[in-house]
Amino acid sequence: MGDPLSFLKDVDKMKKIEFVKKCIYRVCDPATVPFTDLLKFFPEVDEALILMCFNSILKNTENFATNGRDNIDESLLPILEEESEVVKSGFKEQFLFAKETLLDFDWKANLVLESNSISNLNEPLVTMSFSIKDKANIIVECNEEELDSLIQSLENAKSEAQSLF
């Protein structure tokens, strides 16, 4: 298909700068700019092209935040330099969590038949252990209702993450 940024070459300079800045803000703090706001800039352009353009701006922004001026699209460099404080602080906060690495996951199911206060309990429990690089293990124990709630929260988080890109 070619360069996803190519359609921006024929766009009014101020509109291009505003669009790229909105993309940068979306990259650095997704809550501030919904993706639908990016689509409104160019209603006549196919959404897939805008998404590819956004992804290209994302990669350039990430390169700029981590490597400076190297390997940056020349048309984006002046805008990234102008927004360098936003980029560097936003990327630091956005991707700090992403550096934590899940090394291992283990689980076991138990059936609790009784406790010291209830003689006939029969409650299934799941114990999950998450091993995270350079951190202590996180152990979570939950009953069926809590597990269903956890799964729903994870599915919601997955959908939210997918909507960001």
Side-chain angles (χ1 to χ4, degrees):
M1 173 183 173
D3 179 16
L5 297 173
S6 62
F7 87 93
L8 289 177
K9 288 179 176 52
D10 298 327
V11 172
D12 172 71
K13 183 179 178 179
M14 295 309 291
K15 188 172 183 178
K16 173 186 172 179
I17 291 171
E18 187 179 353
F19 175 74
V20 172
K21 284 183 178 183
K22 288 277 189 190
C23 288
I24 291 168
Y25 297 149
R26 169 124 180 111
V27 167
C28 295
D29 187 3
T32 60
V33 180
F35 191 75
T36 54
D37 284 5
L38 301 178
L39 297 176
K40 291 175 187 173
F41 271 87
F42 307 105
E44 69 284 358
V45 176
D46 183 48
E47 288 182 17
L49 181 58
I50 293 175
L51 179 60
M52 288 189 301
C53 183
F54 172 77
N55 285 334
S56 181
I57 293 169
L58 166 69
K59 288 175 188 166
N60 277 274
T61 304
E62 180 179 14
N63 284 340
F64 184 79
T66 56
N67 303 321
R69 298 173 57 99
D70 297 338
N71 301 317
I72 305 296
D73 185 288
E74 288 182 27
S75 68
L76 298 178
L77 189 57
I79 303 167
L80 287 166
E81 286 178 334
E82 183 180 326
E83 297 296 328
S84 65
E85 287 304 312
V86 171
V87 169
K88 291 182 180 176
S89 66
F91 251 82
K92 184 178 179 182
E93 287 186 28
Q94 258 323 94
F95 295 97
L96 191 58
F97 176 76
K99 292 183 181 182
E100 293 186 358
T101 305
L102 180 65
L103 299 174
D104 194 18
F105 169 77
D106 195 16
W107 65 276
K108 65 180 177 177
N110 298 310
L111 181 61
V112 178
L113 300 174
E114 59 185 54
S115 72
N116 60 353
S117 59
I118 302 174
S119 63
N120 191 14
L121 189 60
N122 290 331
E123 180 173 37
L125 294 176
V126 174
T127 304
M128 297 170 283
S129 176
F130 302 90
S131 298
I132 300 181
K133 184 178 180 178
D134 300 328
K135 302 266 182 173
N137 285 355
I138 298 172
I139 297 173
V140 178
E141 185 172 78
C142 49
N143 62 26
E144 184 178 9
E145 182 181 308
E146 293 166 330
L147 181 61
D148 287 342
S149 177
L150 174 64
I151 291 169
Q152 185 62 49
S153 295
L154 291 172
E155 287 173 350
N156 292 344
K158 178 184 173 187
S159 296
E160 187 66 28
Q162 288 174 334
S163 75
L164 296 176
F165 300 104

